[in-house]
Amino acid sequence: MKTRKEQKRRNKRTITEAKGRGAKPTGRVVPSQGETKTSQPVTEAAAKLTSYDIFSLCIERAKNLIKLHKAAHGKKSKPEKYLADAHRAAIVLAVSALDAFVRTFVIAKIRELLAKKSASLPDSLTNQIKKFLKDDGLLESARKDDLLDRVEKAFQNDFENRSFQGTKIITDYMKMVGYDDIFHEVAISAKFNEDTLRTDLDRFTKRRHVIAHRGDYDLNQNPPKEKLVTKKDAEYCIRLVTIIAKNMNKL
């Protein structure tokens, strides 16, 4: 049985031989037979994902559900009733994709604002940081020079119990990072009617909640009646949240 020192020498020889064959070192030691791999290094591509990259990955899932419905429907004149659930799921995923975008966007902007030491912070952000860290936390962050990390962790913990769905909460948190009226700015950037933008996003947010928490049934009727959903509804929801996220990301 090889000792730890012998194993290190063996690994070193393996890397040296690989270099001699023209292979590029990866910075990782491949475990020998009988060893287990205990950690997975973060890839460079994953480390560079932006908030909009995350949104795009999430929104593709919603689009995939539309594709699944089309594939299952085929050339039939009328799809099976149960296939409408693909459209319900697409609405849930689309609204969730915007939620994921806003929470990562806000965290990134908070770090950006704190890094600009000469710039003044929005009052709402300053007040929230004071609530999170309090006097003792602020003192410790000054001593250890880790304010950015402490603030980011505090907001991330808070966001775990918060949903960024609906115009009001999105407006409040975007104001915290310097956007006084985010939907007004998005509407101008997208050349989209502002009232329609707000109304339709809130409509789909409410629909998402009804789907997720009530099974998309009208519980005021006896027996409960399933709410109608169409491919057009799902496609428009995906298009709407994409317009919002894309133009927020441009600002």
PDB file of all heavy atoms in Angstrom, residues 234-250:
ATOM      1  N   ALA A 234     -49.184  31.916 -22.861  1.00  0.00           N
ATOM      2  CA  ALA A 234     -47.832  31.534 -22.458  1.00  0.00           C
ATOM      3  C   ALA A 234     -46.775  32.259 -23.280  1.00  0.00           C
ATOM      4  O   ALA A 234     -45.780  32.747 -22.740  1.00  0.00           O
ATOM      5  CB  ALA A 234     -47.670  30.022 -22.594  1.00  0.00           C
ATOM      6  N   GLU A 235     -46.978  32.339 -24.579  1.00  0.00           N
ATOM      7  CA  GLU A 235     -46.004  32.998 -25.455  1.00  0.00           C
ATOM      8  C   GLU A 235     -45.902  34.486 -25.140  1.00  0.00           C
ATOM      9  O   GLU A 235     -44.803  35.058 -25.146  1.00  0.00           O
ATOM     10  CB  GLU A 235     -46.381  32.783 -26.918  1.00  0.00           C
ATOM     11  CG  GLU A 235     -46.146  31.357 -27.386  1.00  0.00           C
ATOM     12  CD  GLU A 235     -46.555  31.128 -28.830  1.00  0.00           C
ATOM     13  OE1 GLU A 235     -47.487  31.835 -29.306  1.00  0.00           O
ATOM     14  OE2 GLU A 235     -45.979  30.255 -29.483  1.00  0.00           O
ATOM     15  N   TYR A 236     -47.043  35.125 -24.857  1.00  0.00           N
ATOM     16  CA  TYR A 236     -47.007  36.554 -24.540  1.00  0.00           C
ATOM     17  C   TYR A 236     -46.325  36.793 -23.197  1.00  0.00           C
ATOM     18  O   TYR A 236     -45.559  37.758 -23.036  1.00  0.00           O
ATOM     19  CB  TYR A 236     -48.414  37.144 -24.526  1.00  0.00           C
ATOM     20  CG  TYR A 236     -48.444  38.610 -24.141  1.00  0.00           C
ATOM     21  CD1 TYR A 236     -47.714  39.551 -24.874  1.00  0.00           C
ATOM     22  CD2 TYR A 236     -49.153  39.053 -23.033  1.00  0.00           C
ATOM     23  CE1 TYR A 236     -47.721  40.892 -24.518  1.00  0.00           C
ATOM     24  CE2 TYR A 236     -49.172  40.384 -22.674  1.00  0.00           C
ATOM     25  CZ  TYR A 236     -48.451  41.301 -23.420  1.00  0.00           C
ATOM     26  OH  TYR A 236     -48.449  42.627 -23.051  1.00  0.00           O
ATOM     27  N   CYS A 237     -46.566  35.922 -22.215  1.00  0.00           N
ATOM     28  CA  CYS A 237     -45.913  36.045 -20.902  1.00  0.00           C
ATOM     29  C   CYS A 237     -44.397  35.962 -21.059  1.00  0.00           C
ATOM     30  O   CYS A 237     -43.660  36.772 -20.490  1.00  0.00           O
ATOM     31  CB  CYS A 237     -46.419  34.962 -19.964  1.00  0.00           C
ATOM     32  SG  CYS A 237     -45.687  35.022 -18.314  1.00  0.00           S
ATOM     33  N   ILE A 238     -43.934  35.005 -21.845  1.00  0.00           N
ATOM     34  CA  ILE A 238     -42.496  34.855 -22.087  1.00  0.00           C
ATOM     35  C   ILE A 238     -41.936  36.098 -22.767  1.00  0.00           C
ATOM     36  O   ILE A 238     -40.874  36.612 -22.391  1.00  0.00           O
ATOM     37  CB  ILE A 238     -42.226  33.602 -22.954  1.00  0.00           C
ATOM     38  CG1 ILE A 238     -42.533  32.333 -22.149  1.00  0.00           C
ATOM     39  CG2 ILE A 238     -40.783  33.581 -23.461  1.00  0.00           C
ATOM     40  CD1 ILE A 238     -42.524  31.064 -22.971  1.00  0.00           C
ATOM     41  N   ARG A 239     -42.656  36.599 -23.767  1.00  0.00           N
ATOM     42  CA  ARG A 239     -42.192  37.795 -24.491  1.00  0.00           C
ATOM     43  C   ARG A 239     -42.150  39.010 -23.573  1.00  0.00           C
ATOM     44  O   ARG A 239     -41.206  39.805 -23.609  1.00  0.00           O
ATOM     45  CB  ARG A 239     -43.103  38.072 -25.691  1.00  0.00           C
ATOM     46  CG  ARG A 239     -42.605  39.210 -26.588  1.00  0.00           C
ATOM     47  CD  ARG A 239     -43.387  39.261 -27.883  1.00  0.00           C
ATOM     48  NE  ARG A 239     -44.699  39.831 -27.716  1.00  0.00           N
ATOM     49  CZ  ARG A 239     -44.964  41.141 -27.799  1.00  0.00           C
ATOM     50  NH1 ARG A 239     -43.990  42.011 -28.033  1.00  0.00           N
ATOM     51  NH2 ARG A 239     -46.194  41.579 -27.658  1.00  0.00           N
ATOM     52  N   LEU A 240     -43.160  39.155 -22.704  1.00  0.00           N
ATOM     53  CA  LEU A 240     -43.245  40.312 -21.814  1.00  0.00           C
ATOM     54  C   LEU A 240     -42.082  40.340 -20.824  1.00  0.00           C
ATOM     55  O   LEU A 240     -41.407  41.368 -20.683  1.00  0.00           O
ATOM     56  CB  LEU A 240     -44.574  40.284 -21.049  1.00  0.00           C
ATOM     57  CG  LEU A 240     -44.813  41.446 -20.080  1.00  0.00           C
ATOM     58  CD1 LEU A 240     -45.058  42.744 -20.850  1.00  0.00           C
ATOM     59  CD2 LEU A 240     -45.999  41.151 -19.160  1.00  0.00           C
ATOM     60  N   VAL A 241     -41.844  39.220 -20.128  1.00  0.00           N
ATOM     61  CA  VAL A 241     -40.765  39.225 -19.125  1.00  0.00           C
ATOM     62  C   VAL A 241     -39.400  39.359 -19.800  1.00  0.00           C
ATOM     63  O   VAL A 241     -38.472  39.927 -19.213  1.00  0.00           O
ATOM     64  CB  VAL A 241     -40.812  37.972 -18.215  1.00  0.00           C
ATOM     65  CG1 VAL A 241     -42.119  37.930 -17.440  1.00  0.00           C
ATOM     66  CG2 VAL A 241     -40.590  36.688 -18.992  1.00  0.00           C
ATOM     67  N   THR A 242     -39.274  38.877 -21.030  1.00  0.00           N
ATOM     68  CA  THR A 242     -38.014  39.032 -21.767  1.00  0.00           C
ATOM     69  C   THR A 242     -37.769  40.491 -22.103  1.00  0.00           C
ATOM     70  O   THR A 242     -36.638  40.993 -21.969  1.00  0.00           O
ATOM     71  CB  THR A 242     -38.026  38.185 -23.054  1.00  0.00           C
ATOM     72  OG1 THR A 242     -38.209  36.803 -22.712  1.00  0.00           O
ATOM     73  CG2 THR A 242     -36.721  38.334 -23.824  1.00  0.00           C
ATOM     74  N   ILE A 243     -38.801  41.203 -22.517  1.00  0.00           N
ATOM     75  CA  ILE A 243     -38.685  42.638 -22.795  1.00  0.00           C
ATOM     76  C   ILE A 243     -38.251  43.388 -21.536  1.00  0.00           C
ATOM     77  O   ILE A 243     -37.369  44.249 -21.574  1.00  0.00           O
ATOM     78  CB  ILE A 243     -40.030  43.200 -23.319  1.00  0.00           C
ATOM     79  CG1 ILE A 243     -40.284  42.724 -24.759  1.00  0.00           C
ATOM     80  CG2 ILE A 243     -40.052  44.734 -23.261  1.00  0.00           C
ATOM     81  CD1 ILE A 243     -41.681  43.032 -25.265  1.00  0.00           C
ATOM     82  N   ILE A 244     -38.873  43.047 -20.412  1.00  0.00           N
ATOM     83  CA  ILE A 244     -38.557  43.729 -19.150  1.00  0.00           C
ATOM     84  C   ILE A 244     -37.105  43.467 -18.737  1.00  0.00           C
ATOM     85  O   ILE A 244     -36.346  44.398 -18.453  1.00  0.00           O
ATOM     86  CB  ILE A 244     -39.529  43.280 -18.036  1.00  0.00           C
ATOM     87  CG1 ILE A 244     -40.942  43.784 -18.348  1.00  0.00           C
ATOM     88  CG2 ILE A 244     -39.076  43.808 -16.674  1.00  0.00           C
ATOM     89  CD1 ILE A 244     -42.021  43.186 -17.451  1.00  0.00           C
ATOM     90  N   ALA A 245     -36.695  42.201 -18.704  1.00  0.00           N
ATOM     91  CA  ALA A 245     -35.347  41.854 -18.256  1.00  0.00           C
ATOM     92  C   ALA A 245     -34.294  42.421 -19.220  1.00  0.00           C
ATOM     93  O   ALA A 245     -33.265  42.955 -18.789  1.00  0.00           O
ATOM     94  CB  ALA A 245     -35.201  40.336 -18.156  1.00  0.00           C
ATOM     95  N   LYS A 246     -34.547  42.305 -20.496  1.00  0.00           N
ATOM     96  CA  LYS A 246     -33.576  42.783 -21.504  1.00  0.00           C
ATOM     97  C   LYS A 246     -33.334  44.277 -21.370  1.00  0.00           C
ATOM     98  O   LYS A 246     -32.185  44.750 -21.419  1.00  0.00           O
ATOM     99  CB  LYS A 246     -34.090  42.455 -22.901  1.00  0.00           C
ATOM    100  CG  LYS A 246     -33.134  42.828 -24.016  1.00  0.00           C
ATOM    101  CD  LYS A 246     -33.708  42.422 -25.373  1.00  0.00           C
ATOM    102  CE  LYS A 246     -32.749  42.816 -26.505  1.00  0.00           C
ATOM    103  NZ  LYS A 246     -33.292  42.409 -27.826  1.00  0.00           N
ATOM    104  N   ASN A 247     -34.402  45.023 -21.156  1.00  0.00           N
ATOM    105  CA  ASN A 247     -34.245  46.485 -21.086  1.00  0.00           C
ATOM    106  C   ASN A 247     -33.780  46.948 -19.700  1.00  0.00           C
ATOM    107  O   ASN A 247     -33.122  47.983 -19.612  1.00  0.00           O
ATOM    108  CB  ASN A 247     -35.562  47.158 -21.478  1.00  0.00           C
ATOM    109  CG  ASN A 247     -35.785  47.101 -22.988  1.00  0.00           C
ATOM    110  OD1 ASN A 247     -35.244  47.920 -23.738  1.00  0.00           O
ATOM    111  ND2 ASN A 247     -36.547  46.127 -23.444  1.00  0.00           N
ATOM    112  N   MET A 248     -34.079  46.206 -18.656  1.00  0.00           N
ATOM    113  CA  MET A 248     -33.470  46.510 -17.365  1.00  0.00           C
ATOM    114  C   MET A 248     -31.955  46.314 -17.455  1.00  0.00           C
ATOM    115  O   MET A 248     -31.190  47.119 -16.921  1.00  0.00           O
ATOM    116  CB  MET A 248     -34.025  45.555 -16.280  1.00  0.00           C
ATOM    117  CG  MET A 248     -35.364  45.942 -15.716  1.00  0.00           C
ATOM    118  SD  MET A 248     -35.813  44.807 -14.369  1.00  0.00           S
ATOM    119  CE  MET A 248     -37.437  45.459 -13.937  1.00  0.00           C
ATOM    120  N   ASN A 249     -31.569  45.254 -18.118  1.00  0.00           N
ATOM    121  CA  ASN A 249     -30.156  44.932 -18.238  1.00  0.00           C
ATOM    122  C   ASN A 249     -29.387  45.983 -19.057  1.00  0.00           C
ATOM    123  O   ASN A 249     -28.200  46.173 -18.856  1.00  0.00           O
ATOM    124  CB  ASN A 249     -30.003  43.559 -18.903  1.00  0.00           C
ATOM    125  CG  ASN A 249     -28.608  43.005 -18.792  1.00  0.00           C
ATOM    126  OD1 ASN A 249     -28.074  42.890 -17.698  1.00  0.00           O
ATOM    127  ND2 ASN A 249     -28.005  42.658 -19.915  1.00  0.00           N
ATOM    128  N   LYS A 250     -30.089  46.683 -19.944  1.00  0.00           N
ATOM    129  CA  LYS A 250     -29.454  47.720 -20.780  1.00  0.00           C
ATOM    130  C   LYS A 250     -29.250  49.021 -20.060  1.00  0.00           C
ATOM    131  O   LYS A 250     -28.425  49.854 -20.452  1.00  0.00           O
ATOM    132  CB  LYS A 250     -30.324  47.961 -22.029  1.00  0.00           C
ATOM    133  CG  LYS A 250     -30.238  46.869 -23.079  1.00  0.00           C
ATOM    134  CD  LYS A 250     -31.365  46.979 -24.103  1.00  0.00           C
ATOM    135  CE  LYS A 250     -31.372  48.319 -24.817  1.00  0.00           C
ATOM    136  NZ  LYS A 250     -32.440  48.374 -25.849  1.00  0.00           N
TER     137      LYS A 250
END
